[in-house]
Amino acid sequence: MAPLDNLAVARILSDIGDMLELKGENPFKIRAYRNAADSVANNPEPVAGVDADGLRKWPGIGKDLSAKIIEICQSGSCLIHQELMAHFPPTLLDLLRLQGVGPKTVALLYNELRIASLEDLEAAATSGRLRELKGMGARKEALLLHALEERKRHANRHLLADAADTADKLVEYLQARVPEVAFETVGSVRRGSETCGDIDVLASGSSTDLMGIFTSYHLVERILGRGDTKSSVLIRGGYQADLRLVGPESRGAALQYFTGSKQHNIALRDRALERGLRLNEYGLYRASDETRLGGDTEDGIYEALGLSWIAPELREHRGELESAAEHRLPELLQWSDLRGDLHMHTTETDGKDDLETMVLAARDQGLEYIAITDHSKALAMANGLDETRALAHAARIRDLNRRIDGIHVLAGIECDILADGSMDLADDCLAELDLVIASVHSALRQDESEMTARMVRAIENPYVDIVAHPTTRALLRREPSKVNVDQLARAAAAHGVALEINCQIDRLDLSDVNARLARERGVKLVISSDAHSRRALAVKKWGVVVARRAWAAKQDVLNTLPFEEFRASLRRNRTPQALQA
Ligand code: DGT
Ligand code: CA
Ligand code: CA
Ligand code: ZN
């Protein structure tokens, strides 16, 4: 057996935590497994190579858990995992992962109705058995059914960051074994779609043993199809991966074709047809006599069709061909343009690393400035700050900022927007801080007019500089709020408030489409990690992808500015307070 990677080990630990919760075990024991799962998932060192003493130095891992982890690495499981798996059908965990469904409900469904899978749940709902269950009620039944619907809609899609990571590892494996062939990730992962169906890899060159090497990748669970130029497999985590092999002369045409999107390709092919040309995955040809006009490079194809090269992120049939024909595509934002990160948490509220650790990690990442933005008191679960604590925290942040070289640290807050649109902290407190992010974390189901008015009211508060994760969506899990993004963007533009692209991998909020709309309304964007640990600072790369898909250039994004200019561009520093309200 190949060694399990950290994510696979973490998954087993968190499954144990989930099953213990279903059994109604001691919450501390449950927490211990979940903490260990986080610790393993977040540690860059491969867990399989670490001995018991080494593991005990990892946060959240004691003697007992280190022994279990070693057992898992050696055998793929451990005793308590085996026992729990024998006790519960594994499909029961799928129920627990439904949005808004907790262990009490799952235990009730299992104990009373023997519902042990999503299929069982659906059957019970259809036959009316759910409703008869004591303690169920119409509202709860509706919630369950909604969660089930959502789940079906999202089945077999994956978060971009996870799909890209899976694709990178696969490409690395292939490249190491078949160095004479060029491998590239194509499809929706290359375009940076927020969620991805399957993983597509293009191989260009010639190799006779490539498909065998692909199908024997150690994470392959099932071979779905195998041919000389095309194979598909299912890899661990529920990812389908398609591999296609083309000759080197077709690399550009195949890259173009398999990157998609399908709509972009259809429009491009139509453009070729209008010019008397034929375009397919092997090349570009003159229709009349089959003369080959291109195919070895991707730019060559676009060029032969009278177009500038189009970045993969733009290939969604959203006006990119027209702009490319007029050579008016924006010069897209790049990762290296980002200089700051304006949203992150510390142990003062619900972060996992303390202030100094976060600051040093940000400096190591090469950031020129950051804002520390812990939660406000309405988020009691996160130990949110009241005015007194917020100001004391700000004083500590400023003190650290004076002592530390090489990075500017702003004392900010992520202040909750209450249900009526008022701010969770008093204006005189917000006025004292260097930067205020406003965001919604409660009453997410308000209707459109209520939610929009609420957020516009927050924007009208003169101390609000940025609105974070404006639609509160959670990809594959929770729908966006009903906020009217057009009205929100107009209000933000009018008041000089920036809108965030939140880079948590399951948020990416604003989305590409909404960020583009905001930009077109004259809103400035910020791209922030919302990191709750030092490692999470790196997720900003996904926000850059979203911004590119929103056609954003460097000047559309505030945190590309050098520190002094950035500071001066904040709403609170731009105009006298009286003019802002
Ligand atoms: P996904 O997997 O749902 O996240 O989305 P894609 O875009 O990766 O779609 P996929 O894997 O079905 O196909 C990869 C690319 O292959 C797609 O983006 C464009 C190309 N392609 C697939 N089917 C067709 C088709 O029927 N016509 C054209 N023109 N291109 C296609
Ligand atoms: Ca795909
Ligand atoms: Ca595919
Ligand atoms: Zn937040």
Side-chain angles (χ1 to χ4, degrees):
M1 193 188 77
L4 292 186
D5 62 13
N6 290 30
L7 288 182
V9 173
R11 178 72 183 230
I12 291 171
L13 292 167
S14 82
D15 283 354
I16 294 173
D18 288 350
M19 289 188 281
L20 289 173
E21 192 169 20
L22 285 178
K23 279 189 82 175
E25 284 269 0
N26 173 346
F28 291 101
K29 189 168 171 188
I30 298 167
R31 191 99 289 265
Y33 279 96
R34 292 191 175 147
N35 285 340
D38 280 354
S39 184
V40 171
N42 287 319
N43 202 305
E45 199 178 340
V47 64
V50 184
D51 65 11
D53 285 341
L55 281 176
R56 282 164 68 181
K57 298 200 182 83
W58 290 17
I61 298 179
K63 184 165 169 234
D64 195 36
L65 273 160
S66 68
K68 294 206 168 83
I69 291 172
I70 286 179
E71 199 184 337
I72 294 171
C73 290
Q74 283 167 355
S75 71
S77 184
C78 64
L79 190 59
I80 182 169
H81 184 238
Q82 291 296 323
E83 284 169 0
L84 288 164
M85 296 276 283
H87 190 80
F88 293 115
T91 49
L92 202 59
L93 292 180
D94 296 339
L95 292 176
L96 199 58
R97 291 185 190 117
L98 287 174
Q99 170 67 6
V101 177
K104 283 212 185 70
T105 308
V106 175
L108 179 76
L109 293 171
Y110 183 59
N111 294 331
E112 298 299 319
L113 296 179
R114 289 285 130 190
I115 292 176
S117 68
L118 297 171
E119 292 74 31
D120 293 351
L121 178 62
E122 182 155 29
T126 325
S127 66
R129 277 188 300 142
L130 262 194
R131 203 161 317 169
E132 291 159 12
L133 194 57
K134 215 170 125 232
M136 184 49 64
R139 196 179 122 81
K140 195 146 190 195
E141 186 192 14
L143 265 172
L144 268 178
L145 293 181
H146 181 71
L148 198 58
E149 275 305 304
E150 285 290 290
R151 161 68 200 238
K152 273 200 279 185
R153 223 153 49 79
H154 298 318
N156 306 321
R157 291 202 75 80
H158 305 273
L159 298 178
L160 170 63
D162 295 338
D165 184 52
T166 305
D168 285 349
K169 286 186 177 133
L170 173 60
V171 165
E172 196 182 314
Y173 162 89
L174 293 169
Q175 194 67 74
R177 281 157 190 82
V178 196
E180 69 277 17
V181 166
F183 294 95
E184 277 139 317
T185 301
V186 289
S188 53
V189 177
R190 183 173 181 228
R191 300 197 311 278
S193 309
E194 61 196 26
T195 64
C196 302
D198 63 5
I199 289 170
D200 303 283
V201 175
L202 174 68
S204 31
S206 83
S207 163
T208 44
D209 46 4
L210 174 61
M211 293 302 165
I213 288 170
F214 175 57
T215 52
S216 48
Y217 181 42
H218 62 278
L219 293 179
V220 166
E221 281 179 345
R222 197 143 52 90
I223 299 170
L224 303 171
R226 183 173 163 175
D228 293 339
T229 60
K230 182 179 163 183
S231 297
S232 294
V233 298
L234 195 63
I235 57 190
R236 196 155 65 207
Y239 297 87
Q240 181 181 325
D242 294 344
L243 177 68
R244 286 180 179 82
L245 175 66
V246 298
E249 71 292 345
S250 291
R251 175 175 169 254
L255 252 186
Q256 196 292 311
Y257 183 89
F258 293 114
T259 295
S261 66
K262 191 171 165 180
Q263 284 73 20
H264 172 89
N265 285 358
I266 291 170
L268 197 66
R269 193 178 49 200
D270 287 347
R271 188 177 171 91
L273 286 174
E274 285 162 17
R275 286 168 171 65
L277 307 173
R278 201 163 59 77
L279 176 64
N280 59 29
E281 61 264 54
Y282 303 105
L284 181 68
Y285 308 87
R286 193 150 56 217
S288 53
D289 59 3
E290 291 292 304
T291 311
R292 189 179 156 92
L293 303 174
D296 51 339
T297 70
E298 207 179 44
D299 326 24
I301 294 198
Y302 285 101
E303 198 187 327
L305 293 169
L307 301 168
S308 322
W309 180 77
I310 300 174
E313 294 94 331
L314 302 187
R315 300 183 196 171
E316 297 292 348
H317 195 42
R318 294 175 184 162
E320 69 276 12
L321 288 189
E322 292 77 356
S323 292
E326 296 168 12
H327 305 290
R328 281 194 305 107
L329 287 170
E331 194 172 316
L332 296 179
L333 177 78
Q334 297 186 26
W335 166 248
S336 57
D337 293 331
L338 284 194
R339 291 169 180 255
D341 188 340
L342 292 325
H343 185 166
M344 66 188 70
H345 299 269
T346 71
T347 46
E348 185 65 15
T349 60
D350 59 351
K352 290 204 164 70
D353 287 314
D354 64 20
L355 171 61
E356 185 155 350
T357 306
M358 291 301 285
V359 170
L360 293 177
R363 191 178 66 178
D364 284 348
Q365 209 194 57
L367 290 173
E368 188 181 322
Y369 53 93
I370 58 172
I372 301 291
T373 55
D374 274 302
H375 289 292
S376 66
K377 63 179 188 282
L379 266 190
M381 261 185 6
N383 190 25
L385 308 175
D386 60 14
E387 286 81 354
T388 312
R389 281 180 66 209
L391 293 176
H393 190 37
R396 282 192 298 274
I397 295 166
R398 286 169 177 158
D399 180 54
L400 178 65
N401 185 40
R402 275 189 292 275
R403 285 188 284 116
I404 205 160
D405 287 331
I407 187 163
H408 301 282
V409 187
L410 295 172
I413 190 113
E414 179 182 12
C415 184
D416 261 57
I417 302 172
L418 303 180
D420 65 357
S422 61
M423 299 296 289
D424 186 27
L425 297 179
D427 279 1
D428 57 356
C429 171
L430 300 181
E432 276 296 305
L433 301 169
D434 301 328
L435 173 147
V436 172
I437 297 178
S439 63
V440 164
H441 293 106
S442 60
L444 305 181
R445 292 166 196 258
Q446 287 178 332
D447 66 27
E448 178 176 330
S449 64
E450 222 177 345
M451 181 60 88
T452 307
R454 170 188 187 182
M455 295 188 75
V456 168
R457 185 172 166 207
I459 284 171
E460 286 166 356
N461 180 304
Y463 304 107
V464 169
D465 300 296
I466 298 168
V467 173
H469 46 76
T471 76
T472 69
R473 72 169 178 177
L475 287 167
L476 307 181
R477 202 156 55 75
R478 181 174 70 223
E479 291 299 298
S481 77
K482 298 201 172 70
V483 66
N484 181 315
V485 177
D486 190 16
Q487 285 177 37
L488 181 76
R490 287 174 196 276
H495 292 277
V497 168
L499 296 182
E500 178 185 83
I501 293 176
N502 185 291
C503 303
Q504 287 194 4
I505 62 170
D506 62 346
R507 284 196 189 262
L508 302 182
D509 178 15
L510 296 173
S511 67
D512 50 6
V513 171
N514 284 332
R516 185 171 175 186
L517 174 74
R519 209 178 42 70
E520 287 169 356
R521 297 282 174 267
V523 174
K524 292 292 183 192
L525 303 170
V526 298
I527 297 176
S528 293
S529 65
D530 194 359
H532 285 66
S533 70
R534 62 189 189 282
R535 278 176 45 86
L537 289 166
V539 299
K540 285 191 296 299
K541 75 188 255 201
W542 305 114
V544 171
V545 172
V546 173
R548 289 168 64 86
R549 290 174 59 86
W551 294 50
K554 186 176 172 180
Q555 63 270 19
D556 295 313
V557 180
L558 283 188
N559 49 323
T560 61
L561 292 170
F563 178 64
E564 294 303 336
E565 283 174 53
F566 166 75
R567 218 174 163 179
S569 74
L570 283 177
R571 185 244 199 121
R572 63 180 52 226
N573 302 324
R574 282 202 334 198
T575 48
Q577 297 292 334
L579 292 179
Q580 295 187 3

